Amino acid sequence: MARPSHDYTRLEPMVRRLHADGHGVQRIARQAGISVGSAHGLIGRLGLTRQVVATTTRRRPVRRPMPVGMGLVLGGVNA
């Protein structure tokens, strides 16, 4: 018998079911008893990869505090 990570006939139904339920690769690997790389490869081999959804929301720019004294320079005190 082949190694459990290569016994695709036994693993395919389990991987399909867990993937359809929305579980991630790490959870699928843990449930099936295989490595994360083998689970990822099996998902790709079965054609179960999910489409990447582009985000349309606009992100707010990150606001970081100014260095000490910078507010005085920008305020025109030293001008």
Side-chain angles (χ1 to χ4, degrees):
M1 182 174 165
R3 291 178 28 202
S5 61
H6 295 130
D7 190 10
Y8 292 128
T9 57
R10 179 182 65 85
L11 293 174
E12 282 182 16
M14 181 188 315
V15 170
R16 286 184 189 276
R17 186 186 74 241
L18 290 170
H19 191 270
D21 289 344
H23 295 293
V25 177
Q26 291 180 352
R27 173 81 184 261
I28 292 171
R30 189 170 50 248
Q31 290 284 353
I34 58 177
S35 68
V36 175
S38 294
H40 185 69
L42 184 58
I43 288 171
R45 185 174 160 267
L46 295 173
L48 300 175
T49 55
R50 293 189 175 107
Q51 296 295 323
V52 176
V53 179
T55 57
T56 57
T57 58
R58 201 170 133 203
R59 295 182 64 181
R60 258 185 22 193
V62 177
R63 296 187 64 168
R64 293 184 174 86
M66 289 190 283
V68 177
M70 186 59 119
L72 299 175
V73 173
L74 293 176
V77 174
N78 293 335

